Amino acid sequence: MAITQLAVFEAVNAITGDYRPYLGTVVAPARSSADAAAATAAYQVLKNYFPLAPNLDAAYAASLAAIPNGSAKSGALRRGSRRLRR
């Protein structure tokens, strides 16, 4: 769960810039959706470690459906799906 939380933190912080990042400087497109980035980062990590988790795909789709489509959402999806690397 710690890896998931770190991924969410880094994805959202890349957008908000409120805190010093743990994994180095990460840049996100301007006006990206923090909600979409958080959902995508969490989904990517959980899908990696728990690929057979029931309802994970449906929960992710429901989370994204609640966020309006547009450049803020698509930019955040790219940011949230960034692999964690040092």
Side-chain angles (χ1 to χ4, degrees):
M1 294 319 295
I3 295 169
T4 304
Q5 291 304 311
L6 179 59
V8 169
F9 168 81
E10 291 291 345
V12 172
N13 194 53
I15 294 167
T16 65
D18 290 339
Y19 303 97
R20 188 172 142 232
Y22 284 99
L23 300 176
T25 303
V26 178
V27 179
R31 297 181 303 278
S32 292
S33 167
D35 291 335
T40 301
Y43 173 77
Q44 293 292 329
V45 171
L46 292 172
K47 193 68 171 177
N48 183 62
Y49 287 101
F50 307 102
L52 302 177
N55 303 319
L56 187 58
D57 294 332
Y60 176 58
S63 294
L64 292 183
I67 301 167
N69 290 329
S71 61
K73 183 176 181 178
S74 61
L77 295 177
R78 286 189 301 275
R79 172 54 33 228
S81 66
R82 178 182 173 270
R83 298 275 182 207
L84 294 177
R85 292 183 294 243
R86 265 199 169 286

